[in-house]
Amino acid sequence: MADLTPLPNFIGGRWRPASATGHVDVHNPAHGTVIARTPLSTGADVDAAVGAAAAAFPAWSETPPVARTQVLFKFKALLETHFEELARLVTTEHGKTLDESRGSVRRGIECVEVACGAPSLLMGYGLENVGRGIDCQVMRQPLGVCAAIAPFNFPAMVPLWFLPFAIACGNTFVLKPSEQVPLSQKRLFELLAECDLPPGVANLVNGGREVVEAMCDHPGIRAVSFVGSTPVARAVHQRATHAGKRVQALGGAKNFVVVMPDADLDRAMPVITESFFGCAGERCLAGTVLLPVGGVHRDALDRLVAAAESLRIGDGLEPGVTMGPVISGAHRARVVRYVDRGVADGARLVLDGRTARVADRPEGFFIGPSVFDGVGPDMAIGTDEIFGPVASVSAVADLDHAFRIMDAHPNANATSIFTSSGRTAREFSHRATASMVGVNIGVAAPMAYFPFGGARDSFFGDLKVHGRDAFEFYTDKKVTISRW
Ligand code: NAD
């Protein structure tokens, strides 16, 4: 029997009940059962967390970077020890397969590893004799209290895009997990609490919109990082910048995948299938619209359908399962509505996943993969982010035709091309408006030492996530000009 006491917040080094009166049920999406409750914390809880973080900031920011990163080395070791447990927790609360969860936890750990390089990556620069006997030096200094707001689709990974970098730079930190998947983030904080982190340096406040809005408005927070859908990313960016904060807000996506006639389909199609249906399509880097160029259309479509048909849907914890459920019953209903709409709009439904069920998990939020052909750029399935296992195929005449479709779309997160021509690949990479480009790669996810984030309506802000940008985002540059 699951403990349904609303989850506590972690504030000032202690687990404390939220002041919330409402809660959101957390489900195991494969079973459809309630496994926990997320309290809808209030502005008072945010205030308490910011107060604890502000109180911890003076001592933490004065702690030498090399000592700050010792905490992260311990954290990394604990994450390795609890790797399998964390991956299972991600699958239990999110639904993705265990292998997919392992991959995401690995990506999170990679961020901790990169943040451990803070003593080098925080270095400033200087110049002697900018004038005769005058020297100039630039030092990076932490900002203060920083906040991050996470989406549901990568429970353990997305918080680690921010937390290790923020605290390695000497900031203190407040995290709001997605109310749909709070459990692995709670576990991350339990592990962090074992790493000699001073109280108040990292805090966790569970909740929903009220917490986000309180974070955007709170005068004690200097910077806000957000990951989620485009409308909320835009709103958070506007509200928090209006309140004078530094903001990076990563939004939604509609990622186009181009297949050239010279692509090696034997190698490309398994990768493309994984891009479209991996994590049941709940990935901001998922391929969603396939643009086969010229005569490759028929072959690519047939192979995509055959590969999709061979996916094994089920509980992500079970061996052999290759696609788990989507996050909730409401989300499954939304995906089904999109498939209905694609049919009504005149696209050809080649594979229909709407009625797929898993026999021994009748209450799970399962939906099978769907594939549409003949998708026009004006159809909702070709333009909206569905965030489910629905592939749209739209044949194009040439690369220019593909670019007309891609450039007309407001999102520009990731895009991929499959080709055996270096010249075509170079042209694609050069012309793409999306900021993350894959060449014979289906999910163009930059590793933690490179910047992560899209363009246009997929990203609001200037500095991207992790890599060197994280050290820029989480510090201010102070210039000292001296004459002695
Ligand atoms: P979401 O926008 O619904 O929620 C994200 C966060 O915002 C959650 O913590 C939620 O509690 C909060 N929130 C929701 N509605 C709000 C509102 N009206 N006002 C203030 N806060 C609100 O997104 P989601 O469904 O959790 O995640 C899926 C979305 O995230 C997809 O659009 C996906 O593309 C996007 N995403 C983007 C990236 C990226 O790198 N660009 C990465 C992962 C996910």
Side-chain angles (χ1 to χ4, degrees):
M1 187 71 184
D3 176 5
L4 296 184
T5 313
L7 297 170
N9 293 330
F10 187 73
I11 296 178
R14 283 194 303 120
W15 291 99
R16 310 185 192 180
S19 67
T21 49
H23 68 262
V24 169
D25 285 340
V26 179
H27 291 87
N28 176 330
H31 298 208
T33 48
V34 178
I35 53 173
R37 281 186 173 152
T38 305
L40 291 173
S41 300
T42 64
D45 298 307
V46 174
D47 210 34
V50 176
F57 179 71
W60 183 246
S61 59
E62 290 299 330
T63 303
V66 70
R68 294 198 295 252
T69 53
Q70 292 312 310
V71 172
L72 292 176
F73 280 110
K74 285 184 192 140
F75 190 39
K76 141 88 179 158
L78 274 183
L79 292 172
E80 294 292 358
T81 307
H82 294 270
F83 180 84
E84 200 60 19
E85 174 201 344
L86 283 164
R88 293 184 77 83
L89 203 45
V90 170
T91 294
T92 305
E93 65 178 348
H94 175 275
K96 64 184 76 192
T97 68
L98 192 52
D99 267 352
E100 290 168 342
S101 294
R102 288 183 182 123
S104 73
V105 174
R106 179 55 55 208
R107 279 301 176 94
I109 292 176
E110 195 186 274
C111 291
V112 180
E113 291 166 352
V114 174
C116 285
S120 301
L121 291 161
L122 278 172
M123 279 183 195
Y125 47 92
L127 184 68
E128 268 189 341
N129 289 327
V130 291
R132 202 170 293 278
I134 301 177
D135 301 334
C136 188
Q137 264 206 326
V138 177
M139 292 291 186
R140 289 182 190 280
Q141 295 192 330
L143 301 177
V145 180
C146 300
I149 299 147
F152 81 81
N153 63 324
F154 280 98
M157 181 185 81
V158 169
L160 294 176
W161 283 357
F162 305 109
L163 187 153
F165 295 101
I167 66 175
C169 289
N171 301 286
T172 54
F173 187 77
V174 184
L175 172 72
K176 190 204 88 68
S178 162
E179 61 275 38
Q180 299 187 85
V181 290
L183 295 173
S184 40
Q185 284 154 97
K186 176 169 183 278
R187 192 70 190 115
L188 287 181
F189 270 73
E190 285 167 358
L191 297 176
L192 194 56
E194 292 177 33
C195 298
D196 303 327
L197 189 69
V201 173
N203 306 273
L204 176 146
V205 180
N206 283 295
R209 181 175 182 160
E210 186 176 343
V211 171
V212 175
E213 292 180 346
M215 285 173 155
C216 291
D217 297 344
H218 201 294
I221 293 178
R222 288 285 314 277
V224 172
S225 303
F226 173 89
V227 184
S229 59
T230 289
V232 185
R234 184 186 276 115
V236 164
H237 182 256
Q238 282 174 357
R239 190 164 178 149
T241 48
H242 185 71
K245 302 182 199 322
R246 186 176 287 186
V247 185
Q248 50 184 189
L250 284 75
K254 191 78 179 172
N255 303 317
F256 296 87
V257 174
V258 176
V259 184
M260 297 303 290
D262 61 7
D264 176 349
L265 290 193
D266 289 341
R267 293 171 73 179
M269 290 318 295
V271 176
I272 290 173
T273 307
E274 209 285 310
S275 170
F276 279 72
F277 300 114
C279 298
E282 292 174 330
R283 226 171 10 195
C284 70
L285 298 176
T288 54
V289 182
L290 188 70
L291 301 174
V293 173
V296 77
H297 173 210
R298 186 81 259 159
D299 200 2
L301 175 66
D302 290 348
R303 289 179 188 235
L304 182 64
V305 171
E309 278 172 332
S310 72
L311 291 171
R312 197 176 138 215
I313 305 164
D315 183 340
L317 288 180
E318 280 173 22
V321 165
T322 47
M323 195 172 90
V326 295
I327 186 69
S328 65
H331 189 54
R332 179 177 63 190
R334 180 178 177 273
V335 176
V336 167
R337 280 199 300 279
Y338 267 110
V339 179
D340 294 345
R341 200 161 157 196
V343 173
D345 286 346
R348 191 165 70 89
L349 185 57
V350 189
L351 181 66
D352 185 355
R354 283 175 292 186
T355 55
R357 293 290 175 269
V358 173
D360 58 342
R361 296 268 177 245
E363 308 301 329
F365 308 136
F366 295 101
I367 181 167
S370 294
V371 179
F372 279 105
D373 190 27
V375 176
D378 50 339
M379 295 180 189
I381 53 167
T383 56
D384 295 6
E385 183 181 41
I386 302 172
F387 225 53
V390 181
S392 292
V393 179
S394 191
V396 292
D398 52 28
L399 197 55
D400 284 339
H401 186 183
F403 269 110
R404 281 198 297 282
I405 294 173
M406 293 190 287
D407 291 348
H409 199 280
N411 286 125
N413 208 40
T415 187
S416 292
I417 190 167
F418 288 81
T419 179
S420 54
S421 157
R423 184 191 172 107
T424 308
R426 196 269 171 195
E427 181 186 351
F428 184 81
S429 169
H430 182 66
R431 284 175 66 181
T433 42
S435 308
M436 295 177 276
V437 178
V439 174
N440 299 320
I441 300 280
V443 178
M447 313 267 302
Y449 28 87
F450 287 105
F452 188 116
R456 298 198 291 178
D457 282 3
S458 293
F459 183 78
F460 304 91
D462 300 301
L463 293 164
K464 304 254 165 111
V465 167
H466 59 54
R468 288 179 189 275
D469 274 29
F471 292 89
E472 291 285 338
F473 185 81
Y474 283 120
T475 56
D476 203 10
K477 291 194 273 299
K478 179 177 283 180
V479 183
T480 304
I481 307 158
S482 333
R483 173 162 45 203
W484 286 100

